[in-house]
């Protein structure tokens, strides 16, 4: 060969090459070598291990990925994804591998320098406690003394978050914790104790262990799905369901995919391949995102609406679909679907409005027919009415709420229409002929009102129209009716045309129209296989429920809901605990006592961190110009207290008294406790705690946080938490409400308390912003060190955590830790508390006859001129629960007797589980002696896992079959063959390999025969009603407060105006604190919430610390260069971070990716002089009044199903370049 | 004909979600130890961007790979071997640690040990090189997702070549990810650069390795490799590099990066090549012909003559069979969608890439065209957000035609399959337009979209 250069160098090299065995290419270019490669030994040694253990990560990422954990010499070395998920059929990509870089970096934590290895406590607290205990000789008395002495209390509270942690022993740690609980229960009441641990699906047993302890002692478990703002409130509003969505393998079935406000490659990393691969099948992908996101890379098209204006785009798309597929022509697939599966044909009464003209009012019901003397079975206000095209007469079809619980409804709660042909529009309908103008609110201009005609008819003296006709008016689809209508798509002045949205979103009108047309055309061609993946980018806004309703209108109008490959695909939070029934029984200790105390997290934090005191606006700021003034002069805190006193939403602490004492007094009175309480409340003798949240008697006293990082992650208004709940230093800059802005029903105390909590306890395996502020930190086992169960929305499997190593150092599993706490508690409680009766106030519950409490959604507030309070109607339900406090540990470790008699209920369906209890007795063993004698044992974490699986239909086919049989009696329709009666999944099965769950009435999708999970296929294919008023998917809501908000129909509501509400500078203005921009906190690529943001691997792959992304234009205005230190400041607090300047960002908006907390590389702020804050230091809670509605059909409370959201997206901040030399 | 076997990889960039799982699992398995803190055998770059180490593709500066001398003969770009040997002690053509990044950690212990103090404890960064507090100004992946914006992306050597076609602004933003491992080249310039003869190419599977016993730490391999995929372990003083996970592949398990790739975009397969033709192919005069020349070196395992020659060269029958079933061979030849990275470096790299198709620029849609219609899709390729020229600079020495052909095939697949998806009759004309037939498109679809674990590797 002569292709090479240079003879001299060749000679030299030849010498080197020939010193080795092997084949050298003739030109000396390459050395080939076989065998004799001892030098490879290093790499061979490194690739060796003693065992591989299957586990997963419990981190609320929806991943629920099965991982191989490699162990060598008893040390965890690294991890890699399992690839053995059961096949999904071979006609589509398989679930392998699933995982992400965060998960791959997890083992770093095991031996990392941030690992919590021992119990820690604040030194000053321990010192004082030891001194008091030595003197008093009793832990409870010691705790009582040091928490009631203002000086000592202040001493340890003000030290929170300022170092000074010391190692203590487990025994002493749990003794202090137990003493705090006992004292609190005795002195203030069990509802002053709270537990916060989110997302059971991500590690069910670890959640249940602690929640079970809290529930047994009568403490309140705080909700998380709504608090995280991951709950799409539109889901209960529209579907009567918390959230139910397709698994990711079903994306493959979609032939048109809108990815809206969801950054799939980053936030659904393990499943993103279904999107990339479905494109090869010809799926069109349209990405809607304000920035050029990771997802936008995959979009055939990228639409970039201005942040928070997604609703405007969706409304315009709805306009196009209604125009082209309903008005211009009839699309049978769409209208047939609408007639059967939506509320569109139902009749709504019109009411004359003061302004002249009409406004839409309440659904016409059977009761209205009876009043008019016509037909109707008993005048039921929960049976809605439509017109049958064959007769032109009103009929009450099957399936509405009235059929669900009433005696006569058996066999008729279904969507069978028989021969009835529902009329969608009265236009051209016999008997119609007239049209009236209705007034409809618009929110894009102040005080805006639209006047548009609808065809009407009269039924029994009521002027009515259909929901469909109202929808056409709302969307502004002209049909030769009176009123103001758009001239065409290009009319920018009239909602909701494509041109109108262009002015708001910046998306060209023609593109919006074309995407809408494509979406619907595809649905028509494919039988409903158009899908919208929607995420936090759209769901975390104050008015997200309205944004989502405008999205859901698109999927519902086109018949995509309940179809494989179609419908909404909302993925925000790992909400799907597939074995839900078993988990719920155990976590809430329903086997021992009912009801549990379940609290809405947002309201809890809003009140107890005193954010309500900083509300400088009236609640009617968000009201409709057409409202009756219900919210006028009231603050959000007032509305919250109204919701609590009417029993709509739960409220803990409930009363301004210890509920143990109330129970005793009620018993002494000889009266029925509910009546006794209601009387006292009505007379004013007894107050609700939420009416005076700053009174010391009403403070929460003990809070336990586990599997969570409240203060580094989810705490919207973090600085308010620090100041008021903890009494620590804070960088809060906001001013309190002026006298005329203050609540009228809630007591305003002159000085806001600082330091309400006596004890903040956290359990974690790493140091977080929460552990840094905790009084006691217990060292937790990691996900590679325990037994547990995992499930998710994204795939249909349950699978196990298994310990690759035993918990090292002094770490313990959550299960073991809570059992230790329970033991210590029981010992102290036996003498200090004994057996007590506890008066529990519970709200009106969803999926129960409580939904009948408020006919027509007419509010009956006994405090404001309504009828007298009546528990279970317009007042919470009152139950007396006996608590044997000394038996707490024994009860925790055994399956209690209530299951045998009361069964287990999920979503209104009760399973009889006596057989399962017996089976668990055999499998787990039986407790002998003590308070749980003869009961099945739950002494070990695997016992708990086994019980979860045995008591759920998804994992126990016998229960699924039984549930479908029970359901069939009510619906009168058949569910034969859906359940796999013989399938029983044991914990060992889930350890061996992920196991597919079976179809169960606990959920709405069909997986039978290897089908992919898609929500509502049971409803569509088996005519099972949705859990709503009409039994159908709702476009229309008629509760008084919904009308007050002007949200009876989907509407566009712009982001909140922070200048108007709080006096923040206007967007784009520059001042002392810098440039004012929108402040968004999307999910990060390098962490899952705050987990991993401190992980060295993730920090190395990113920028090594907190960052804020901004556009080059904004950076130029603020004088910022890439990687400069910047400060972001608003009234809520201060953030110090590095700037990432990128043309990927739109002008006017900055991102601080979610949950960058204060532990790593956060210097002191120039503005506050204190440590910079977390991403939520710039946000705060803003409670939307309509989320507080309860006691009415689907708008009734269930835990994590309905409640005010902890939204945070409407915020603004000022941002500026700061001094580049920073202090730590 | 002297047949040799080569383990090769194809990465489908059209599917890469830029998650970096491959990087993390690789690092955890191989380089999370002292001396290799800064080393990522596998890394993922956002393009446009500078890459890792910074601007490594700028061969005018780093002089990696081969070039042709005046007589059309191959020579190491960093200079002939003689010059190399003389400059062993003063090599200016080495990226500094700052070009990679200076690894760091944090004072995590402060979170526990901080005494009572005025403010919340914090873990501040500390250099792993100096042990001193540090200010972080570059990392293994600093410009991820266009971080650093126009300022840093404009330092991308590839972008510079096509900068007249590209505007780095919000409305025209584009990006894609480029995962990289060692190319395990047929004509490895690292091996040729090593004065100690410590680097070698395994004859049975072509994996390029550093003999840890023989390496003297001259670091000429670092200079010689144009991909900068040989690293210097500053603890042991030896070179280290991606091993193609030989302890795994030898027992039939795919590489860590492949197995853990959640985008499912990596394919591993055996290819056969004629070692006698390598040098001549690498010396192909026109850079734009190098891609075809490189393909020309690879042999068809179905060809009986090749099979016979392979047997003569000692390649066992089961390896031949593996070469026949190789997804890599199919992607390069049967479907013609895989391209080598920087063939102009003349190293004959053996990690190939399917260029990214999407997204289609909005301008096309604004004309009201249906993006799924075959004709428009082909048209759309000219209007891709990612400039064709940029991809051509990466994969075909600037020649846009091969890239265009690949993208047209991908587009045709989507268009053809959509009709099947919707239950419509297949349209053969779509396949014909890209030189395929329906059956081949369906097979390609199966490999690109469905292929389960055991068909990808």
């Amino acid at each position: 060969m002569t292709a090479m250069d240079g003879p001299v160098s060749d000679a030299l090299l030849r010498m080197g090459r020939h010193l080795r065995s092997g084949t050298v290419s003739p030109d000396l270019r390459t050395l080939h070598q076989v065998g004799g490669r001892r030098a490879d030994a290093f790499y061979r040694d490194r690739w060796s291990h003693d065992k591989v253990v299957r586990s997963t990560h419990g981190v609320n990422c929806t991943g629920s990925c099965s991982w191989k954990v490699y162990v060598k010499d008893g040390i965890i070395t690294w991890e890699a994804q399992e690839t053995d998920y059961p096949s999904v059929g071979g006609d589509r990509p398989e679930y392998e591998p699933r995982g992400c870089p965060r998960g791959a970096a997890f083992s770093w934590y095991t031996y990392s320098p941030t690992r919590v290895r021992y119990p820690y406590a604040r030194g000053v607290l321990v010192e004082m406690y030891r001194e008091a205990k030595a003197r008093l000789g009793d832990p409870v008395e010691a705790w009582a003394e040091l928490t009631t002495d203002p000086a000592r209390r202040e001493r340890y509270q003000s030290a929170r978050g300022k170092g000074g942690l010391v190692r203590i022993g487990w025994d002493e740690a749990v003794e202090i914790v137990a003493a705090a609980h006992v004292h609190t229960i005795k002195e203030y009441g069990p509802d002053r104790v709270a537990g916060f641990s989110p997302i059971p699906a991500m590690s069910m047993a670890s959640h249940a262990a602690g929640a079970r302890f809290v529930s047994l002692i009568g403490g309140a478990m705080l909700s998380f799905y709504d608090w995280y703002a991951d709950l799409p409130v539109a889901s209960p509003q529209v579907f009567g369901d918390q959230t139910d969505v397709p698994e990711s393998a079903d994306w493959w079935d979609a032939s048109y995919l809108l990815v809206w406000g969801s950054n799939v490659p980053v936030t659904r990393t393990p499943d993103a391949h279904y999107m990339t691969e479905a494109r090869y099948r010809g799926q069109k992908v349209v990405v809607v995102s304000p920035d050029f996101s990771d997802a936008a890379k995959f979009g055939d098209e990228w639409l970039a609406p201005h942040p928070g204006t997604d609703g405007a785009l969706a409304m315009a798309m709805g306009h196009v679909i209604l125009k082209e597929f309903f008005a211009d022509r009839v699309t049978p697939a769409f209208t047939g679907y609408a007639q059967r599966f939506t509320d569109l044909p139902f009749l709504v009464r019109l009411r004359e409005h003061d302004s002249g003209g009409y406004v839409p009012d309440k659904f016409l019901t059977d009761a209205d027919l009876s009043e008019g003397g016509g037909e109707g079975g008993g005048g039921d206000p929960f049976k809605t009415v439509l017109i049958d095209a064959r007769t032109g007469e009103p009929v009450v079809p099957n399936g509405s709420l009235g059929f669900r619980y009433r005696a006569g409804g058996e066999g008729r709660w279904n969507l069978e229409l028989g021969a009835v042909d529902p009329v969608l529009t009265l236009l051209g309908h016999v008997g119609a002929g007239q049209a009236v103008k209705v007034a409809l609110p618009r929110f894009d201009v102040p005080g805006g009102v639209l006047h548009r005609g609808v065809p009407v008819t009269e039924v029994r003296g009521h002027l009515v129209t259909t929901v469909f006709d109202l929808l056409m008016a709302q969307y502004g689809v002209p049909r030769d009716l009176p009123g103001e209508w758009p001239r065409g798509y290009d009319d920018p002045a009239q909602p909701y045309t494509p041109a109108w949205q262009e002015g708001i979103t910046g998306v060209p009108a023609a593109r919006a129209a074309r995407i809408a047309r494509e979406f619907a055309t595809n649905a028509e061609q494919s039988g409903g296989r158009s899908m919208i993946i929607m995420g936090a980018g759209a769901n975390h806004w104050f008015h997200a429920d309205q944004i989502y309703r405008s999205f859901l209108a698109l999927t519902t109008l086109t018949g995509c809901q309940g179809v494989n490959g179609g419908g909404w695909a909302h993925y925000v939070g790992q909400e799907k605990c597939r074995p839900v029934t078993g988990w719920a029984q155990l976590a809430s200790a329903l086997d021992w006592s009912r009801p549990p105390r379940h609290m809405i997290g947002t309201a809890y934090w809003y009140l107890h961190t005193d954010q309500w005191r900083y509300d400088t606006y009236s609640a009617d700021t968000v009201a409709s110009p057409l409202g009756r003034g219900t919210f006028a002069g009231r603050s959000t805190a007032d509305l919250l207290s109204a919701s609590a006193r009417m029993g709509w939403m739960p409220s803990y602490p409930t009363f301004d008294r210890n509920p143990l004492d109330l129970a005793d007094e009620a018993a002494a009175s000889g009266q029925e406790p509910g009546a006794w309480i209601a009387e006292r409340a009505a007379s004013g003798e007894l107050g609700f705690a939420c009416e005076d949240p700053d009174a010391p008697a009403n403070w929460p006293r003990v809070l336990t946080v586990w599997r969570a990082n409240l203060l580094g992650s989810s705490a919207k208004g973090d600085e308010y938490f620090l100041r008021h709940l903890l009494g620590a230093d804070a960088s809060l800059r906001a001013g309190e409400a002026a006298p005329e802005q203050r609540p009228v029903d809630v007591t305003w105390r002159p000085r806001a308390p600082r330091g309400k909590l006596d004890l903040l306890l956290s359990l974690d395996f790493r140091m977080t912003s929460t552990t840094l502020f905790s009084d006691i930190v217990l060292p937790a086992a990691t996900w590679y060190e325990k037994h547990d169960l995992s499930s998710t929305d994204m795939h249909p499997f349950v699978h196990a955590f298994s310990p690759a190593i035993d918990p090292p150092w002094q770490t313990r599993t959550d299960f073991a830790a809570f059992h230790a706490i329970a033991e210590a508690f029981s010992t102290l409680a036996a003498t200090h508390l004994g057996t007590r009766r506890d008066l529990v106030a519970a709200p009106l519950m969803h999926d129960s006859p409580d939904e009948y409490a408020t006919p027509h959604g007419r509010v009956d507030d006994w405090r404001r001129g309504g009828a007298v309070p009546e528990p279970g109607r317009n007042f919470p339900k009152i139950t007396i629960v006996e608590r044997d406090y000394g038996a707490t540990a024994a009860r925790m470790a055994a399956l209690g007797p209530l299951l045998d008699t009361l069964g287990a209920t999920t979503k209104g369906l009760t399973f009889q589980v006596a057989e399962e209890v017996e089976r668990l007795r055999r499998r787990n063993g039986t407790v002998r002696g003590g308070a749980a004698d003869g009961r099945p044992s739950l002494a070990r974490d695997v016992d708990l896992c086994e019980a979860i699986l045995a008591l759920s239909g998804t994992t126990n086919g016998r229960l699924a079959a039984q549930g479908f049989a029970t359901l069939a009696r009510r619906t009168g329709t058949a569910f034969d063959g859906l359940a796999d009666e013989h399938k029983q999944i044991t914990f060992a099965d889930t350890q061996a390999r992920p196991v597919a769950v079976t179809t169960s009435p606990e959920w709405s999708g069909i997986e039978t025969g290897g089908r992919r999970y898609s929500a509502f296929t049971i409803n569509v294919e088996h005519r099972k009603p949705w859990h709503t008023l009409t039994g159908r998917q709702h476009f229309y809501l008629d509760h008084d407060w919904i009308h007050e908000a002007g949200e009876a129909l989907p509407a566009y509501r712009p982001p909140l105006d922070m200048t108007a509400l709080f006096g923040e500078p206007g967007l784009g203005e520059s001042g002392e604190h810098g440039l004012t921009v929108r402040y968004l906190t999307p999910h990060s690529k390098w962490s899952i919430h705050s987990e991993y943001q401190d992980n060295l691997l993730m920090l190395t792959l990113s920028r090594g610390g907190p960052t804020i992304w901004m556009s080059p234009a904004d950076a130029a205005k603020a004088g910022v260069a890439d990687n400069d230190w910047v400060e972001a400041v608003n009234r809520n607090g201060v953030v110090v971070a590095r700037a990432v300047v990128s043309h990927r960002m739109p002008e006017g908006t900055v991102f601080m990716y979610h949950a960058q907390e204060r532990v790593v590389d956060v210097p002191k702020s120039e503005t506050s002089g204190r440590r910079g804050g977390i991403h939520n230091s710039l946000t705060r809670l803003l409670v939307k009044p309509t989320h507080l509605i309860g006691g009415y059909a689907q708008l009734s409370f269930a835990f994590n199903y309905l409640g005010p959201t902890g939204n945070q997206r409407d915020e603004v901040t000022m941002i500026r370049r700061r001094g580049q030399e920073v202090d730590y | 004909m002297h047949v040799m076997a080569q383990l090769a990889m194809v990465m489908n960039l059209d599917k890469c979600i830029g998650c970096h799982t491959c990087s993390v699992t690789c690092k955890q398995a191989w380089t999370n130890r002292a001396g290799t803190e800064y080393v990522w055998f596998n890394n993922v770059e956002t393009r446009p961007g500078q890459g890792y180490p910074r601007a490594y593709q700028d061969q005018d500066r780093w002089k990696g790979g081969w070039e042709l001398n005046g007589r059309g003969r191959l020579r190491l770009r960093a200079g002939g071997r003689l010059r190399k040997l003389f400059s062993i002690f003063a090599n200016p053509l080495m990226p500094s640690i700052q070009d990679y990044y200076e690894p760091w950690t944090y004072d995590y212990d402060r979170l526990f040990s901080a005494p009572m103090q005025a403010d919340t404890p914090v873990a501040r960064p500390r250099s792993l090189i100096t042990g001193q507090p540090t200010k972080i100004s570059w990392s293994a992946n600093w410009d991820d997702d266009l971080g650093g914006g126009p300022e840093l992306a404009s330092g991308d050597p590839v972008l510079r070549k096509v900068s007249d076609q590209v505007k780095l602004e919000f409305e025209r933003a584009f990006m894609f990810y480029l995962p990289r491992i060692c190319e395990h080249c047929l004509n490895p310039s690292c091996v040729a650069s090593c004065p100690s003869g410590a680097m070698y190419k395994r004859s049975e599977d072509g994996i390029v390795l550093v003999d840890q016993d023989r390496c003297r730490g001259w670091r000429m391999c670092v200079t010689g490799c144009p991909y900068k995929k040989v690293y210097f372990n500053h603890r042991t003083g030896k070179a280290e590099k991606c091993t193609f996970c030989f302890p795994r592949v030898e027992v039939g398990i795919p590489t860590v990066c492949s197995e853990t790739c959640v985008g499912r975009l990596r394919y591993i397969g055996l290819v056969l090549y004629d070692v006698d033709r390598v040098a001549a192919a690498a010396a192909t005069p026109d850079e734009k012909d190098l891609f075809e020349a490189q393909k020309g070196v690879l042999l068809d395992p179905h060809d009986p003559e090749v099979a016979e020659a392979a047997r003569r060269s000692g390649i066992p029958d089961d390896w031949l069979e593996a070469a026949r079933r190789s997804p890599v061979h199919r992607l390069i030849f049967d479907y013609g969608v895989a391209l080598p990275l920087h063939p102009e470096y003349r190293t004959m790299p053996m990690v190939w890439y399917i260029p990214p198709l999407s997204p289609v620029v909005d301008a096309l849609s604004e004309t009201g065209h249906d993006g799924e219609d075959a004709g428009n899709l082909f048209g759309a390729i000219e209007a891709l957000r990612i400039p064709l020229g940029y991809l051509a600079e990466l994969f075909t020495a600037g020649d846009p035609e091969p890239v265009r052909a690949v993208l047209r095939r991908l587009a045709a697949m989507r268009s053809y399959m959509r009709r099947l998806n919707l239950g419509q009759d297949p349209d053969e004309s779509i396949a014909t337009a890209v030189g395929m037939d329906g059956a081949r498109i369906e097979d390609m679809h199966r490999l690109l979209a469905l292929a389960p674990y055991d068909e990808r590797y």
Side-chain angles (χ1 to χ4, degrees), chain A residues 1-5 9-10 12-13 17 20 27-29 31-34 37 39-40 42-44 46-47 68 78-79 81 92-94 96-97 99-101 104 107-108 113 115 120 161-162 164 255 269 273 277 279-284 290 292 294 297-302 511 514 522 525 529 767 1085-1086 1094 1096-1097 1099-1104 1109 1122-1123 1141-1146 1158-1162 1164 1170-1171 1221 1224, chain B residues 4 12-16 18-21 24-25 28-30 32-33 66 73-75 81-82 85 101 104 106 108 111-112 114-125 135-136 139-142 144-150 168 170 173 175 177 187 191-192 197 199-204 211-212 214 240 246 248 250 259-262 264 278-279 358-360 362 365 372 385 413-414 417-418 421-422 445 449-450 452-453 456:
Chain A
M1 293 295 291
T2 57
M4 302 289 293
D5 66 324
S9 58
D10 279 2
L12 279 167
L13 195 72
R17 289 277 190 258
R20 306 210 55 192
D27 56 4
L28 313 177
R29 212 182 57 252
L31 178 67
H32 290 284
Q33 206 180 352
V34 194
R37 297 186 296 244
D40 296 349
F42 170 76
Y43 295 104
R44 287 187 200 286
R46 198 169 158 91
W47 183 257
K68 294 181 276 206
W78 57 74
E79 57 272 88
Q81 299 99 307
R92 69 188 65 227
E94 301 285 0
E96 54 84 13
C100 74
S107 61
W108 177 86
R115 180 78 197 257
Y120 284 87
K162 295 180 181 169
S255 44
T269 307
H273 71 86
E277 286 155 347
R279 286 153 59 241
Y280 293 169
R281 208 188 161 206
Q283 177 188 84
K284 178 160 183 178
F292 189 75
D294 305 60
K297 171 195 182 252
F298 294 98
D300 292 305
E301 303 201 36
W302 166 47
R511 293 190 69 198
R514 183 171 47 75
N522 180 78
Q525 287 178 351
R529 293 192 286 126
M767 288 304 274
K1085 183 164 178 172
W1086 307 108
D1094 54 354
L1096 188 55
L1097 286 152
L1099 287 161
T1100 301
L1101 283 174
S1102 54
R1103 292 277 182 118
W1109 286 67
D1122 189 51
N1123 207 38
V1141 178
S1142 174
H1143 60 290
R1144 187 170 77 66
M1145 294 293 298
R1158 47 170 62 84
V1159 289
V1160 165
D1161 202 10
V1162 177
K1164 293 198 180 187
R1170 297 199 184 91
R1171 178 88 49 234
E1221 289 307 317
Y1224 293 88
Chain B
M4 293 192 87
N12 182 355
L13 300 186
D14 189 54
K15 291 175 78 175
C16 184
C19 72
H20 300 253
T21 307
V24 175
T25 51
Q28 292 272 70
W30 297 117
N32 63 349
R33 48 198 158 88
W66 304 93
R73 300 168 76 188
L74 280 176
R75 73 170 168 212
R81 291 178 182 125
L82 188 61
L85 287 176
Y101 68 101
W104 69 87
Y106 300 86
Y108 291 105
L111 304 177
F112 298 95
M116 277 280 282
Q117 56 185 44
D119 211 338
T120 313
V122 72
R124 59 184 298 186
K135 293 177 181 174
I136 300 164
S139 74
N141 183 37
W142 188 259
D144 188 78
D145 276 2
L146 304 178
L168 296 174
F170 179 70
M175 66 178 171
Y177 305 103
N187 185 35
V191 174
M199 295 195 70
Y200 61 97
K201 196 164 171 63
R202 303 212 310 186
S203 42
E204 64 269 43
D211 184 329
Q212 292 292 300
R214 193 164 288 269
E240 290 202 45
F246 69 83
R248 288 171 57 103
E250 284 174 3
E259 179 172 289
T260 63
C261 173
V262 296
R264 297 158 43 98
V278 169
S358 56
V360 172
D362 307 322
S365 318
E372 299 306 331
R385 268 185 181 271
M413 172 178 65
R414 292 187 62 189
M417 292 302 298
R418 180 167 177 83
N421 186 342
L422 293 177
H445 168 260
L450 295 179
Y453 187 88
R456 296 200 300 274

Side-chain angles (χ1 to χ4, degrees), chain A residues 863-876:
Chain A
R863 181 65 63 74
R864 295 174 76 91
V868 292
E870 188 187 323
R873 194 181 67 77
N874 61 348
F875 192 84

Side-chain angles (χ1 to χ4, degrees), chain A residues 39-61:
Chain A
D40 296 349
F42 170 76
Y43 295 104
R44 287 187 200 286
D45 284 351
R46 198 169 158 91
W47 183 257
S48 65
H49 41 271
D50 302 327
K51 64 173 178 176
V52 179
V53 177
R54 180 191 302 276
S55 197
T56 180
H57 308 122
V59 65
N60 187 23
C61 60

Side-chain angles (χ1 to χ4, degrees), chain A residues 271-522:
Chain A
D271 301 295
H273 71 86
Y274 282 109
M275 170 189 67
T276 65
E277 286 155 347
R279 286 153 59 241
Y280 293 169
R281 208 188 161 206
Q283 177 188 84
K284 178 160 183 178
V285 179
V286 176
V287 174
V288 189
S289 169
D291 64 318
F292 189 75
S293 66
D294 305 60
K297 171 195 182 252
F298 294 98
D300 292 305
E301 303 201 36
W302 166 47
L303 309 184
H306 302 312
T309 65
D310 307 81
L313 173 59
M315 289 300 290
M317 290 172 65
H319 175 94
V320 171
I321 291 172
L322 284 168
K323 173 86 170 71
E324 297 183 14
F325 295 83
F326 287 85
D328 292 352
R329 70 177 173 104
V330 171
T331 311
F334 295 175
T335 51
Y337 184 93
Q339 285 172 309
R340 187 182 294 276
F341 299 120
T342 75
D343 68 348
L344 290 174
F346 285 89
L347 298 174
V348 173
R349 291 163 42 183
L350 302 181
R351 175 171 63 82
E352 279 186 78
H353 190 256
D354 310 339
S355 64
Y358 292 85
V359 288
D361 195 21
K362 304 290 182 180
F363 276 108
L364 185 77
T365 70
D366 188 31
D368 303 313
L369 299 183
S370 300
E371 282 161 19
E375 66 119 357
D380 189 339
F382 292 92
K383 290 178 179 161
T384 45
V385 181
L386 51 74
I387 289 179
D388 184 353
R390 297 167 311 156
T391 62
E393 289 298 311
V395 294
V396 174
N398 286 351
S400 56
L401 184 57
F403 294 96
R404 191 169 178 198
Y405 301 107
R406 308 254 201 234
E410 183 136 317
R412 291 186 64 193
W413 188 53
N414 62 45
L415 299 179
E416 297 295 355
L417 288 167
V420 172
D421 181 10
V423 167
L424 272 183
T425 174
L426 298 177
L427 196 64
H429 170 66
V430 191
Q434 52 166 329
V436 302
K437 276 196 273 189
V438 291
L440 300 162
R442 61 184 287 189
F443 298 98
D444 56 324
V445 293
V449 175
L450 298 163
H451 299 277
R452 287 172 178 168
V454 291
V456 292
T457 188
E458 210 170 278
V459 175
R460 308 288 191 277
H462 301 293
L463 194 65
V464 297
T465 187
T466 68
V467 173
F468 178 81
D469 285 322
L470 286 170
L471 197 73
M472 293 293 269
Q474 174 79 348
Y475 277 85
V477 180
R479 292 185 299 169
D480 291 330
L481 288 163
E484 324 137 31
W485 300 88
R487 294 186 319 270
Y489 286 178
D490 56 356
D491 185 341
Q494 283 283 339
Y496 287 99
T497 66
W500 168 87
Q501 72 80 42
E502 179 171 338
I504 291 170
T505 68
V507 174
R511 293 190 69 198
R514 183 171 47 75
I515 300 295
R517 194 175 301 125
E518 286 179 10
F519 186 86
T521 303
N522 180 78

